[in-house]
Amino acid sequence: MTTLNRPGAPEGHVCGIDAAMEVIGGKWKVLILWALHEHPHRRFGELRRLLTGITEKVLASHLRELEADGVVHRVSYDEVPPRVEYSLTDDGVRLNDALQPLAAWGRERPTARGLEGWAGQGSS
């Protein structure tokens, strides 16, 4: 199930960032995309181990939403026991590429709030 568009704006979106946030919003979706970028073609259990702290319910829900949004591909193999693998679609790869500058910003940002030079920037 895809996230529903916000009412009150043409086509439900205020801008491109609004549309993108509909797909990646929340704590875990960006981390799922990262995990599938770093470790392509992963099974559910492998993804759960890579994402410490995520519950099975949240991971399953987010994978379904990302699949519905066209950024994650799910392949179910007809085997015993059943095997399902997840990978990024071309749109998922493009989305991860678009998130790279955000990741760089996060790595460069001071880790503690209020550090000298960060919290006081722009104020006198």
Side-chain angles (χ1 to χ4, degrees):
M1 174 174 110
T2 59
T3 308
L4 298 177
N5 293 339
R6 294 183 189 174
E11 299 177 9
H13 294 111
V14 176
C15 65
I17 291 176
D18 188 27
M21 288 305 297
E22 230 177 57
V23 175
I24 63 170
K27 175 180 178 181
W28 294 105
K29 286 186 178 179
V30 173
L31 296 175
I32 292 168
L33 293 172
W34 166 83
L36 287 172
H37 173 76
E38 294 290 316
H39 309 278
H41 305 283
R42 291 295 157 173
R43 296 174 72 172
F44 184 89
E46 293 171 321
L47 284 172
R48 182 135 187 257
R49 283 188 292 279
L50 288 169
L51 300 167
T52 306
I54 195 169
T55 65
E56 285 186 25
K57 180 180 177 181
V58 169
L59 179 57
S61 171
H62 284 350
L63 284 169
R64 278 193 302 273
E65 290 172 12
L66 290 167
E67 182 184 11
D69 286 328
V71 295
V72 167
H73 182 67
R74 179 184 187 270
V75 176
S76 181
Y77 295 92
D78 191 21
E79 299 175 352
V80 177
R83 177 171 59 113
V84 176
E85 287 185 350
Y86 297 90
S87 60
L88 294 177
T89 64
D90 290 342
D91 270 351
V93 171
R94 287 181 49 230
L95 179 55
N96 257 350
D97 290 344
L99 291 169
Q100 288 302 319
L102 183 61
W105 178 85
R107 284 188 300 271
E108 295 166 3
R109 185 172 187 260
T111 55
R113 293 179 187 214
L115 285 180
E116 183 179 324
W118 178 258
Q121 281 184 337
S123 62
S124 32

